[in-house]
Amino acid sequence: MSQIATRILGIESSCDETAAAVVENGERILSSVVASQFDIHRKYGGVVPELASREHLRQIVPVVREALEQAHIAYQDVAAIAVTQGPGLVGSLLVGLTYGKSLAWALGKPLIAVHHLEGHVHAVVLEEKQKHPGAMIAFPAMTLVVSGGHTVLYFVEREPPAGHEDAAYFSYQKIAQTQDDAAGEAYDKVAKILALGYPGGPVIDRLSEFGDPNKVAFTRAVIKRAAPPDGSGRSQYDFSFSGIKTAVLRYVRTHGLEAEAEERRRMSAGKPAQNSLEITGKESLAGKPDVERLRALSSQHTLDLVASFQKCVVDDLVMRTLDAAEQYDTRTVLVSGGVAANRLLRASFEQECRIRGLRVYFPSRHLSTDNAAMIAAAAYPKFLAGTFADIELNADASLPLG
Ligand code: KG4
Ligand code: ZN
């Protein structure tokens, strides 16, 4: 008996990307549209919440329409509408959530609430299903979600109920989180200190190629290790990235790199926009930093600093995740979220997992950063289970998971 196609419309607006996607049976992306707001926030070096919600309001209707058009389906053809409920910026979340609720009500379709980080976990599984249809990653998995807003480790188990043995039902146990800044936030703040533009991750990723990662002696000690469990609620695997950001700032001041940063800032002011609508399968300009120009404006000293910062952060993410994987006896490691697009992070995870005999999986770049395909995919098992939200659903900026 052939399976009836269940097409879920996913909507994501938790931070600075307005995204909509249609995913069939939780495993086939029919469309995925992302409108980024980099240009709007670039001059502030970070997301400005009020501007983000205003831009979501402008983008939400055309982005959803575009997702349906690309999927070649009409509004009535969707089986359900999935929205990100949280965590995130409340004003941003409310735009996608309210629009999704209205659409579900007007169309008479079920509404499904999705946790943003659950979406990032499903991005890895979805990627694997795109590449190897029918294959299923072996669980349990130690899962690192590392982005601009989050750095969290989850122990993820697959627990499909009877009758749905193949479906991606997961349970989540939080193992560790950041005590202060998220790793992506550290990338963005270091890029702001050095006037390398926003978001900082993609540009630091590319510029690091030209620097010596061992030149500036940031040891992992700059990233404080939390004390072992002592009743304070901290985990020995917790992360901390505010120390390294401060160490970079201090280094810039004590080594006379401020004037050079100021010059880059001056030269970048008024630079034309580079983004912004990203569509699956097409190269986007978003996240493609002006590397050659920035490289020409950077001394070798700055390039070495950037590469050393990146190596320190990447080593810490990899080692802490893999130590936790061994401690919890998981043979599988999943890495997701915007920072998972980082090339050194991927190479380091791959190399270290090979040595330790673990399997590691990442989403493609499009599925690593915020998108709505991951929200629609995460909603599919909830659809099968009949876990629907009602019209009272509200956004929750600090929604817990596990
Ligand atoms: O998942 P995401 O799109 O949004 C959040 O939920 O935060 O992640 C965005 C974050 C930003 O901090 C950005 O600088 C970082 O991901 N990022 C990267 C790379 N691409 C994006 N960080 C390091 N290397 C990259 N290639
Ligand atoms: Zn995210």
Side-chain angles (χ1 to χ4, degrees):
M1 196 180 78
S2 68
Q3 195 188 17
I4 302 162
T6 300
R7 291 158 184 158
I8 295 181
L9 169 68
I11 297 177
E12 153 66 37
S13 69
S14 64
C15 190
D16 61 343
E17 265 110 9
T18 320
V22 179
V23 176
E24 191 172 273
N25 298 334
E27 59 185 24
R28 202 160 79 85
I29 302 175
L30 300 186
S31 66
S32 182
V33 178
V34 180
S36 299
Q37 306 178 0
F38 297 142
D39 290 338
I40 290 160
H41 304 291
R42 183 167 284 136
K43 58 176 170 291
Y44 306 101
V47 179
V48 182
E50 289 78 6
L51 299 181
S53 9
R54 202 179 306 160
E55 188 61 12
H56 283 306
L57 272 175
R58 239 170 44 80
Q59 297 280 12
I60 190 77
V61 174
V63 163
V64 168
R65 191 184 300 134
E66 176 79 17
L68 292 170
E69 270 173 21
Q70 281 185 33
H72 303 296
I73 62 168
Y75 288 89
Q76 270 302 341
D77 297 334
V78 303
I81 291 158
V83 292
T84 303
Q85 187 191 0
L89 301 169
V90 74
S92 291
L93 285 165
L94 276 170
V95 177
L97 187 129
T98 308
Y99 185 66
K101 260 183 8 181
S102 317
L103 211 50
W105 183 79
L107 297 170
K109 304 285 179 180
L111 178 71
I112 300 173
V114 175
H115 191 287
H116 180 74
L117 299 187
E118 196 179 5
H120 276 302
V121 175
H122 276 266
V124 191
V125 179
L126 180 57
E127 176 76 35
E128 198 55 18
K129 287 184 170 166
Q130 303 287 294
K131 283 200 242 157
H132 309 291
M136 182 43 103
I137 294 171
F139 283 86
M142 189 54 69
T143 304
L144 172 68
V145 181
V146 58
S147 69
H150 311 275
T151 304
V152 200
L153 268 179
Y154 288 108
F155 177 76
V156 180
E157 280 188 284
R158 202 166 80 84
E159 292 177 344
H164 296 297
E165 278 72 17
D166 295 338
Y169 287 88
F170 301 124
S171 67
Y172 305 87
Q173 183 190 343
K174 195 195 274 182
I175 304 300
Q177 61 191 349
T178 181
Q179 290 292 328
D180 37 59
D181 292 351
E185 198 179 348
Y187 269 93
D188 295 338
K189 286 178 176 171
V190 164
K192 188 174 181 181
I193 292 167
L194 291 168
L196 296 173
Y198 175 82
V203 71
I204 290 178
D205 184 350
R206 303 288 301 279
L207 283 180
S208 293
E209 263 175 59
F210 306 107
D212 178 351
N214 300 310
K215 200 79 177 181
V216 182
F218 293 129
T219 60
R220 283 182 59 215
V222 181
I223 301 175
K224 297 188 296 283
R225 252 203 189 279
D230 56 0
S232 67
R234 288 182 162 217
S235 145
Q236 61 177 314
Y237 301 109
D238 271 359
F239 302 93
S240 165
F241 295 104
S242 71
I244 184 139
K245 169 201 66 189
T246 312
V248 169
L249 180 62
R250 206 176 307 118
Y251 190 93
V252 167
R253 288 187 178 151
T254 53
H255 291 77
L257 298 176
E258 275 171 318
E260 189 191 313
E262 224 18 79
E263 178 64 5
R264 273 190 299 274
R265 211 177 312 277
R266 206 178 57 74
M267 298 290 283
S268 302
K271 271 262 141 213
Q274 292 186 43
N275 41 315
S276 118
L277 201 66
E278 182 176 334
I279 296 163
T280 302
K282 293 194 182 160
E283 260 303 301
S284 85
L285 291 172
K288 264 199 155 179
D290 199 353
V291 175
E292 280 315 315
R293 188 182 63 83
L294 287 166
R295 186 188 168 194
L297 291 170
S298 304
S299 65
Q300 192 57 46
H301 200 161
T302 291
L303 296 172
D304 291 343
L305 172 62
V306 161
S308 303
F309 157 78
Q310 165 155 291
K311 180 169 189 303
C312 186
V313 170
V314 164
D315 283 354
D316 191 73
L317 289 168
V318 172
M319 292 309 166
R320 220 163 279 217
T321 302
L322 298 191
D323 288 352
E326 285 186 346
Q327 173 77 34
Y328 282 79
D329 204 19
T330 61
R331 310 310 301 157
T332 306
V333 175
L334 311 184
V335 187
S336 191
V339 182
N342 187 272
R343 290 168 311 162
L344 180 67
L345 185 81
R346 286 175 180 244
S348 304
F349 261 116
E350 261 156 13
Q351 186 186 349
E352 200 56 36
C353 283
R354 213 174 300 123
I355 293 167
R356 300 192 193 202
L358 305 172
R359 283 289 308 266
V360 62
Y361 298 87
F362 309 91
S364 59
R365 198 186 69 77
H366 175 84
L367 288 176
S368 294
T369 49
D370 286 350
N371 66 86
M374 68 185 194
I375 301 303
Y380 183 61
K382 297 181 199 291
F383 178 86
L384 293 179
T387 311
F388 301 130
D390 64 27
I391 203 75
E392 302 298 324
L393 181 73
N394 205 354
D396 185 343
S398 46
L399 189 68
L401 175 69

